[in-house]
Amino acid sequence: MMMDDVNDLQGSPEDLSAGIRQRSKRISKYGVTHEPPKDDAIYYPQDDTHSFFARGRDIESVYTNHKYTEREKETLGTFESLDYLPSHSEVYKQWLRRQPRRLDWDRWIMMALIGFSVGLIGFLLHQLIDVISEAKWHKARDYIEDDKVLIAWGWVLGYSLIFVIASTASVVFLRPSAGGSGIPELIGFLNGTVVRHIFNIKTMVVKFFSCCFAVGGGMPVGPEGPMIHLGSLVGAGLSQFKSDTLKFRLPFFERFRNSEDRRNFISAGAAAGVASAFGAPVGGLLFSMEEVSSFWNMKLSWQIFFCSMVSTFTTDLFNSAFDGFRYQGNFGLFKSDKYIIFQVTKGIDVNILAFIPTVILGVLGGVFGALFTFINLKIARTRKRLLANIEAPWKQKVVRMCEPILIIIIYASVSVFLPAAFGCSPVSSIPGAAENSRSLQAYTCPTGSQNSSNKTYNQVATLLFVTGEQGIHQLFSRNTHLEFDYGPLVAVFVIYFILACWSAGTSISSGLVVPMFFIGGLYGRIIGRAMVSFFGVYAPGGYWSWMDPGAFALIGAASFFGGVSRLTMSLTVIMMEITNDIQFLLPIMVSVMVAKWVGDFVTHPLYHALLELKCIPFLDAEPVIIHEGKDIVNLELYTAKNVMSSPPVFLHSFEPVDRIAHLLLDTPHGGFPVVKKANNEEVFDGLITRLELTILLMNEDAFEPSGGEDSSLREPEVTHVEYQQLTLDKLSNPRGTQDILESYCDDTGYQDLYINLRPYVNQSAVCIRQNFSLHRTYIIFRTLGLRHLTVVDEHNHVVGIITRKDLMGFNLEERIGEVLVQALARERTNVEMAETTHPSV
């Protein structure tokens, strides 16, 4: 069951303090007895018997809920949740009173610090990648020019292997959680689920260098996804001015050490990561709002906008003066070809007829995006199944190391040898390509002089014998209608699609943005080339000049990005900011929307599908519940009572030490309602979490002899445990903690010692009536970012509790299905009774 869940409880609260206790599982450093898989890449549910094309698994529209196996549901239950707002207790209010009063100027300073730090990291990341990749391709071109193809292949392969091995080894052996883009885990955390190690300084260091080595080494991946995760890491760490890993806690910005501010700064860091990676501050703000964050307000929008602006400014400022860490002068001169990464210099007038191929590209984007997601998920499941069948941990690590190595061997070999399968193309036969000829790769073709009419180039080498970003530049280039033929485009599309899909999910730090732009640009260029073949080449400025393959490559890139991620607003703005092609705003919007609509009918968005694959609990903005796959259920017709877990385990305001120790050792629940006496009845008073109780029991100064139930009514001015002690993320000595708790249970002396919980209880814990609308229950739970939602009856007696797992789509369908079955059974019984009472004549 879920850490915060109270499902399947039997007996009264007092029964939990008696009987035989089985403590085969020890308390972890997070204060719980069950933890999620330490290495997600290895975990595989053995009860997965679904077919390859089973609906509801990897093929599922956004209007259906994911189908989990029983083992996957158990894994879902091992994740803890967290509240968005800090616990509103007496100790919290006392702590607030001691904080200096200011008008949020320190919050703006922190946003500026995060933006500057993320911008600097983005600058260092891209400079390192450029240095590593340019050294490889520069030497390889020299060998190719000397007709030493085999030596060029050996150089490219050997050079790439060194960096890819370093990239994957750092992830496999040092920090597995640094693998991938980190975006699914980030989305899950900001939605309210605790994901271990994603905001650790060790994760940050491994993420940075693994991404540098993987992208620079030539893997078909990009740095943008890791850059978003790195930005959130900066936001999580810098805002707290403390580190559990490095064992320091600085006395600055202490008022930000609460769950709400930390999560807001993490959202700002993610936005700054997008802004630095793309040079798109507005796109970063919208990406954080649309995809990453679950909680938002207008004040936060201004602050994150400022953070994104500082991040972009910092990256552009350093890029203006440095190229490959070599000082070029012109410090502070923002050249458009540097801060607009895929700048389109020649605008084209948009014709209404252009929307016909735009819609086609949108459909292709949705289809190919869904196919990319489906294949990626199947590869991930196959990888998990293979690794789960290997018992020895060192063998698992060897297999994980071999996968990226195999991919880079294939990709490096293809990059060097595939161009040989295609002939040379004369530059002079391509209108508009002469001025772009410096970017064309000759490979083994005759180069001629710079202005020679017999200069030739190789089309495949122009796409593969360069970095991914340089290849995208070529695909987006304007007035180069005949630069690429169908054969090279199709060949590169098929190979790159498969390898990029395979690479996403391997044990390297990598992103998908560059591959998505590259793949979309390829099929967009194919459609544009087909338009040229049918209707010919038209001079710029005419009625038919919109038929430019480069323009359709840009639309194709946006459509594939949208088909995979299902982003809309942020994607459109990012495309504008990275290309400066405002004329194609409307076609890009159309292609993105069509791609989203088509993709939504086939699969879930990639990042959300990966959340489901990793069994990370996530609540969508709106629940979609379908009964038996056909009838849409209106949640307004059901109540909180239909999904709550009961009977709940609750505590009194004045509780014996040994009983609290029993609860912590014998139950997995993440929180407990607290009740108080009112008119001789036990009514709901608040809520206290498991970790808070554990920390209280570690401070014996808080213990006091029995003074009766009235002792809980005291409001002490000074508490024994301060608020900062209660905000610990994990226990420093879990084994010692368990030993102490067991001693409390075994020593009868602690039966007469009590803890007054009132100063530590969340007095603003939300509760609802059991007949409250289920739809509104969902809205309240997600909007407020709750961890627990207590259910009471009309007399304010605690009758149940609702947690994240209770409101997940699959659980809602199961619970409501049970209610519908019971209702149908009652209806049949009534009909039968009516027929018996009034038999037909």
Side-chain angles (χ1 to χ4, degrees), residues 66-368:
H66 185 75
K67 294 181 180 178
Y68 293 95
T69 68
E70 292 303 317
R71 290 287 299 275
E72 288 175 332
K73 291 177 183 178
E74 293 175 5
T75 304
L76 272 169
T78 62
F79 284 90
E80 277 193 283
S81 298
L82 67 161
D83 285 298
Y84 178 62
L85 297 173
S87 175
H88 189 249
S89 60
E90 283 298 326
V91 291
Y92 173 69
K93 287 187 282 187
Q94 289 182 17
W95 174 79
L96 279 181
R97 294 186 189 105
R98 294 194 298 268
Q99 300 307 304
R101 290 176 173 83
R102 53 177 66 93
L103 297 175
D104 275 352
W105 58 263
D106 55 343
R107 199 178 303 275
W108 290 93
I109 290 176
M110 180 55 65
M111 287 291 181
L113 288 174
I114 292 172
F116 175 80
S117 301
V118 175
L120 182 60
I121 290 174
F123 162 74
L124 295 174
L125 181 70
H126 284 86
Q127 291 290 312
L128 280 171
I129 290 172
D130 289 343
V131 168
I132 294 171
S133 59
E134 284 301 325
K136 178 180 74 172
W137 293 119
H138 180 76
K139 192 70 175 177
R141 293 187 194 101
D142 291 341
Y143 286 127
I144 291 293
E145 289 176 1
D146 295 336
D147 290 330
K148 298 177 181 178
V149 178
L150 287 178
I151 296 178
W153 171 73
W155 162 256
V156 170
L157 181 59
Y159 187 93
S160 299
L161 280 174
I162 291 174
F163 286 99
V164 170
I165 290 173
S167 173
T168 187
S170 62
V171 170
V172 171
F173 293 102
L174 297 180
R175 184 62 81 183
S177 58
S181 67
I183 295 178
E185 291 82 358
L186 174 61
I187 293 172
F189 181 87
L190 292 178
N191 189 254
T193 300
V194 178
V195 185
R196 309 299 185 200
H197 303 308
I198 63 169
F199 297 123
N200 186 280
I201 185 98
K202 188 176 178 181
T203 303
M204 180 176 179
V205 174
V206 172
K207 192 93 180 178
F208 181 87
F209 286 104
S210 177
C211 178
C212 281
F213 296 155
V215 180
M219 288 288 288
V221 295
E224 288 78 14
M227 193 61 226
I228 297 170
H229 188 190
L230 287 170
S232 66
L233 275 159
V234 172
L238 192 60
S239 64
Q240 305 301 293
F241 261 71
K242 67 183 180 71
S243 172
D244 295 330
T245 304
L246 301 180
K247 308 296 183 186
F248 73 84
R249 181 185 288 257
L250 300 177
F252 306 108
F253 300 102
E254 291 184 346
R255 80 184 188 107
F256 296 148
R257 292 173 187 169
N258 61 76
S259 56
E260 179 185 10
D261 284 321
R262 185 168 186 255
R263 222 187 291 191
N264 288 342
F265 286 124
I266 289 172
S267 297
V274 175
S276 175
F278 295 105
V282 181
L285 168 68
L286 293 177
F287 178 84
S288 183
M289 181 182 69
E290 182 179 2
E291 179 69 358
V292 176
S293 302
S294 295
F295 312 103
W296 202 264
N297 58 62
M298 186 55 65
K299 185 177 181 180
L300 183 63
S301 299
W302 283 106
Q303 292 169 348
I304 292 182
F305 179 75
F306 173 69
C307 182
S308 300
M309 179 193 71
V310 173
S311 176
T312 304
F313 176 82
T314 303
T315 302
D316 290 343
L317 182 64
F318 285 105
N319 280 335
S320 68
F322 293 92
D323 185 9
F325 292 112
R326 294 186 302 272
Y327 184 69
Q328 304 293 315
N330 298 323
F331 184 79
L333 179 61
F334 293 168
K335 296 181 179 179
S336 59
D337 59 340
K338 281 197 171 185
Y339 74 87
I340 302 177
I341 57 177
F342 299 123
Q343 185 183 19
V344 174
T345 57
K346 298 179 180 179
I348 297 176
D349 296 331
V350 176
N351 192 302
I352 190 172
L353 298 177
F355 288 95
I356 298 174
T358 294
V359 172
I360 295 174
L361 285 172
V363 173
L364 290 176
V367 172
F368 285 135

Side-chain angles (χ1 to χ4, degrees), residues 453-509:
S453 61
N454 61 352
K455 185 175 182 179
T456 59
Y457 72 102
N458 187 286
Q459 297 184 23
V460 174
T462 300
L463 294 174
L464 294 182
F465 221 64
V466 292
T467 64
E469 291 186 1
Q470 291 171 337
I472 295 170
H473 271 290
Q474 288 299 128
L475 291 172
F476 287 0
S477 61
R478 299 291 172 85
N479 296 331
T480 55
H481 301 71
L482 305 176
E483 183 174 341
F484 299 104
D485 293 326
Y486 297 109
L489 290 172
V490 172
V492 174
F493 173 78
V494 173
I495 294 171
Y496 197 91
F497 186 96
I498 295 172
L499 292 180
C501 192
W502 185 7
S503 299
T506 55
S507 297
I508 57 173
S509 175

Side-chain angles (χ1 to χ4, degrees), residues 656-669:
V657 171
D658 72 319
R659 181 170 183 267
I660 297 176
H662 281 310
L663 289 178
L664 295 178
L665 290 170
D666 301 337
T667 66
H669 316 317

